[in-house]
Amino acid sequence: MDKRLMLLARFGILLAVLAAWEGAARHFPAVQFALARPTLVGNALADLLRGWMILPHVAATGGAAVLGLVLGTVLGAGLGLLTWFSRSTAQVLRPFVVALGAMPILTVAPMMIIWFGIGLEMKVALATLSTVFVAFAQSAQGAEKVSNEYVEVLQGMNATPAQVFIKVVVPGSLDWVFSSMRLNAGLALLGAFIGEFIASNRGLGYLVLRASSLYDVPRAIAAAFFIVMLALIFDWTGTQIEKRRNILIRWFCISTCIR
């Protein structure tokens, strides 16, 4: 389908949904109570944008999510790649990683308040915890999939395990690491949001919780709209990184070969 037709189709679907929502809310009070009306949500959006009062909240949520994503990816990918040195260690750790990764983040959120307080550190810790296990699993699998031919060539040249790891294993696993970053983008945002939802005085999660407690549905939906926008920005950024991963991998290979 042509891109213009696709955009028109999407715009038409959006208009139809908004029109149906507005009509249902005007004719059924229960719908308006539960979902407000698009016009009221639009007014709430304009109110949040007035004086750019939304910016500190977007910065708080986005900043915690980005920091957690970077820390979780670096920590998880680093530990996952190190399992290449011992395949048996990777096999032993795999069930524990799967079990911890499947644990709902809400179960440890109250303990994070005890460990890190209610400030930025707690939101970053939750975002990191949301992403570290996926990064570990992806990078460990990437290290396991590295071609043995390249490893054997370097070993035949009397390369040390550390040299093989830096020059073959890490570059060969970067595809998996970049893939984990895109998978983790939404999880990092979710971790930061949950942290703000539990205890915070700023952030989009705080806005949603405060508006919901006052039954201000339009404002809650307007704040959630900015969370969706952040998620789309994160996804777009991850897509751009994936598209340019070959350039990044080539740069890493050149820099390691020069050393």
Side-chain angles (χ1 to χ4, degrees):
M1 182 184 291
D2 184 71
K3 287 186 177 181
R4 292 182 180 178
L5 291 176
M6 187 179 296
L7 288 174
L8 286 175
R10 290 173 177 172
F11 187 67
I13 292 172
L14 179 62
L15 285 179
V17 170
L18 291 176
W21 179 8
E22 182 75 24
R26 287 182 180 276
H27 288 87
F28 301 100
V31 175
Q32 179 167 331
F33 176 78
L35 297 174
R37 299 201 315 260
T39 49
L40 296 178
V41 174
N43 291 336
L45 279 171
D47 183 56
L48 289 174
L49 289 171
R50 191 174 296 114
W52 301 108
M53 67 167 292
I54 191 64
L55 282 184
H57 300 285
V58 172
T61 304
V66 169
L67 286 173
L69 176 61
V70 172
L71 288 174
T73 301
V74 170
L75 182 61
L79 293 174
L81 291 176
L82 288 175
T83 60
W84 174 81
F85 288 100
S86 176
R87 299 291 174 88
S88 58
T89 301
Q91 293 175 356
V92 170
L93 291 177
R94 191 177 299 277
F96 297 100
V97 172
V98 172
L100 291 172
M103 181 176 58
I105 195 67
L106 273 172
T107 59
V108 297
M111 290 184 290
M112 289 293 182
I113 297 176
I114 298 173
W115 298 337
F116 298 100
I118 62 173
L120 176 65
E121 294 83 359
M122 185 264 287
K123 285 79 174 179
V124 173
L126 278 173
T128 302
L129 190 64
S130 300
T131 58
V132 68
F133 298 111
V134 174
F136 178 91
Q138 286 285 102
S139 59
Q141 191 171 0
E144 189 178 338
K145 300 287 185 182
V146 169
S147 175
N148 286 328
E149 294 180 2
Y150 297 112
V151 174
E152 291 172 357
V153 168
L154 278 186
Q155 287 176 342
M157 300 169 65
N158 294 324
T160 64
Q163 290 174 325
V164 174
F165 177 76
I166 293 173
K167 297 182 182 297
V168 175
V169 177
V170 175
S173 305
L174 285 179
D175 245 350
W176 295 80
V177 175
F178 290 136
S179 177
S180 73
M181 286 186 68
R182 187 176 181 186
L183 290 172
N184 277 330
L187 295 175
L189 190 59
L190 176 63
F193 174 80
I194 289 175
E196 292 171 350
F197 205 80
I198 292 174
S200 181
N201 59 359
R202 68 167 55 191
L204 297 174
Y206 162 76
L207 283 183
V208 172
L209 179 62
R210 184 180 179 187
S212 300
S213 64
L214 297 173
Y215 296 95
D216 190 349
V217 179
R219 193 177 182 88
I221 295 177
F225 171 80
F226 288 101
I227 297 174
V228 173
M229 291 296 101
L230 270 180
L232 292 175
I233 291 171
F234 277 30
D235 183 72
W236 179 84
T237 304
T239 302
Q240 299 306 309
I241 291 175
E242 276 198 319
K243 286 181 179 179
R244 291 162 176 78
R245 65 183 183 274
N246 290 333
I247 298 174
L248 296 172
I249 293 172
R250 193 177 301 117
W251 172 84
F252 182 87
C253 292
I254 293 173
S255 63
T256 53
C257 286
I258 291 175
R259 293 178 188 176

